[in-house]
Amino acid sequence: MQQTHEREYRYEERNGEYMLKCWHHGNEASWRGYVDSRPEWLERILTTALVGGHLKRIHQPPPDAVVWFTTDLDNNLKSFLELT
């Protein structure tokens, strides 16, 4: 079995809170919290997503915003995924 050195994430915001789901090696993990208390590594990725047009604002929420992305195992951004 081929080992992957990246994680796939789905981030969403709704009503001032965020939810982050992560998939790696067939396992899923998730985190929740308030938008103003996101981890620093996630803030950097979301800033890049906003500037690059990857953070999709939803016209008829919930959720209010969504972005899919991949990171390396140290949470450095590798790519944004354009999923519909």
Side-chain angles (χ1 to χ4, degrees):
M1 179 176 171
Q2 181 180 351
Q3 295 291 322
T4 179
H5 299 290
E6 65 182 37
R7 296 180 178 118
E8 183 175 323
Y9 288 92
R10 181 183 192 274
Y11 170 88
E12 70 175 51
E13 292 178 10
R14 57 177 80 209
N15 301 321
E17 296 182 351
Y18 77 91
M19 184 168 71
L20 186 66
K21 288 189 178 183
C22 174
W23 294 269
H24 180 65
H25 291 286
N27 298 311
E28 180 179 330
S30 62
W31 300 267
R32 299 179 81 100
Y34 292 103
V35 170
D36 60 359
S37 65
R38 295 179 292 215
E40 185 177 321
W41 69 269
L42 182 56
E43 283 289 335
R44 288 192 305 268
I45 291 171
L46 295 174
T47 298
T48 303
L50 184 61
V51 170
H54 301 284
L55 184 64
K56 306 299 183 197
R57 296 289 175 189
I58 308 301
H59 297 289
Q60 294 185 355
D64 301 318
V66 173
V67 66
W68 288 81
F69 59 93
T70 61
T71 69
D72 64 16
L73 298 181
D74 293 320
N75 292 324
N76 297 304
L77 179 65
K78 291 188 77 174
S79 66
F80 291 105
L81 305 171
E82 298 300 325
L83 303 176
T84 56

